[in-house]
Amino acid sequence: MISIAPVSYRRLTSWKGRVRFQRQVAEFVDNQQLRLGQREQFRVQTPFAMRLGKTRD
């Protein structure tokens, strides 16, 4: 049987807060990368669409 040392409530809430913050940072970075990818896709598609006369209104 494995014995687990007791952990204080303060330490648990601190860990919980860090995990939540790390998750928020990861989500923020993912969102930023998605936006950059969408911008890059738009930059690439726009010149091709203009050459074909298919610009969006």
Side-chain angles (χ1 to χ4, degrees), residues 33-51 54-57:
Q33 290 175 343
L34 177 63
R35 286 188 193 127
L36 289 174
Q38 289 172 341
R39 286 182 192 163
E40 190 62 32
Q41 182 179 6
F42 180 74
R43 287 182 193 155
V44 170
Q45 288 178 349
T46 301
F48 290 120
M50 291 176 75
R51 287 183 196 148
K54 295 182 182 179
T55 57
R56 290 188 247 170
D57 292 338

Side-chain angles (χ1 to χ4, degrees), residues 4 6 9 12 15-18 20 31 34 41 43 49 53:
I4 299 174
Y9 178 76
L12 282 175
W15 288 340
K16 182 180 175 184
R18 276 191 234 144
R20 185 181 305 140
N31 289 341
L34 177 63
Q41 182 179 6
R43 287 182 193 155

Side-chain angles (χ1 to χ4, degrees), residues 4-38:
I4 299 174
V7 179
S8 72
Y9 178 76
R10 178 180 279 169
R11 186 172 290 179
L12 282 175
T13 56
S14 173
W15 288 340
K16 182 180 175 184
R18 276 191 234 144
V19 168
R20 185 181 305 140
F21 178 73
Q22 289 172 347
R23 193 176 304 138
Q24 289 172 345
V25 169
E27 186 176 328
F28 175 77
V29 169
D30 288 344
N31 289 341
Q32 292 301 313
Q33 290 175 343
L34 177 63
R35 286 188 193 127
L36 289 174
Q38 289 172 341

